[in-house]
Amino acid sequence: MAEEKQYPMTEEGKRKLEEELNTLVTETRAEITQRIQTARGFGDLSENSEYQSAKDEQAFTEGRINTVRNMLDNAVIIDSSDVSDDEVAPGKTLTFQELPDEEPETYSIVGGAESDPFAGKISNDSPIAQALIGHHVDDIVEVPLPNNATMEVKILSVKPLED
């Protein structure tokens, strides 16, 4: 049997997935079941768009429930406590500046399951995180970009994630 994929995540990320799973199982499932029962009352199921829509949503929801359960079953909590305070690692927030003179940017490095670049959370598997992990404050790092280009960044600060 193949080994299950592991999902690195923070405690906060795991908690959010647990909340999502609870909502899907206790609320969303019941709502969809009710919609299917109501739609059945509309007659011929082969031409019943409400019924088909509810069945599609049911299939999507069950798929999401299975995905979230698998992620939680195979969650690995990110622990950066054994990494030096100024070292970039998953579970840390860093500020860096693109050289020569761009504005500083701040990102938290989290597991892929909870990454959200618009919220300042990047995946530990992303190219930028991979380039920066293991480096320290004041290091200048070459980060690969698409089209074989690179950018140089200077790490300005590193701190633990805030819950």
Side-chain angles (χ1 to χ4, degrees):
M1 184 168 140
E3 192 172 309
E4 291 288 332
K5 178 181 177 188
Q6 293 186 331
Y7 294 92
M9 63 183 71
T10 62
E11 284 287 350
E12 176 190 5
K14 184 177 182 191
R15 184 184 46 75
K16 285 183 178 179
L17 277 179
E18 289 168 340
E19 289 172 4
E20 178 185 356
L21 180 61
N22 184 53
T23 300
L24 288 169
V25 170
T26 61
E27 296 174 25
T28 309
R29 261 186 182 163
E31 291 168 5
I32 294 170
T33 300
Q34 182 59 46
R35 284 183 44 214
I36 290 171
Q37 289 174 346
T38 301
R40 279 189 176 141
F42 295 150
D44 184 3
L45 298 181
S46 65
E47 296 180 16
N48 186 329
S49 63
E50 288 87 0
Y51 177 80
Q52 192 56 53
S53 173
K55 290 298 280 184
D56 290 347
E57 189 175 347
Q58 181 183 43
F60 175 82
T61 299
E62 292 304 319
R64 182 64 185 162
I65 287 170
N66 289 336
T67 298
V68 172
R69 278 189 175 143
N70 182 48
M71 291 167 71
L72 288 170
D73 288 346
N74 296 290
V76 176
I77 301 302
I78 294 171
D79 178 12
S80 61
S81 62
D82 59 346
V83 177
S84 68
D85 289 346
D86 74 335
E87 183 177 341
V88 178
K92 300 262 187 124
T93 297
L94 73 142
T95 301
F96 63 84
Q97 177 181 21
E98 185 179 345
L99 299 176
D101 56 5
E102 294 291 323
E103 290 294 314
E105 298 178 44
T106 300
Y107 293 98
S108 297
I109 300 178
V110 297
E114 59 189 304
S115 69
D116 181 357
F118 297 110
K121 296 178 177 183
I122 59 173
S123 168
N124 61 313
D125 292 326
S126 68
I128 192 161
Q130 288 292 302
L132 295 172
I133 289 173
H135 289 278
H136 298 82
V137 172
D138 293 330
D139 283 358
I140 294 176
V141 182
E142 199 168 279
V143 176
L145 299 173
N147 305 327
N148 295 322
T150 60
M151 71 175 175
E152 277 194 331
V153 301
K154 181 176 182 179
I155 301 170
L156 302 176
S157 70
V158 177
K159 60 184 181 181
L161 282 179
E162 296 176 6
D163 290 329

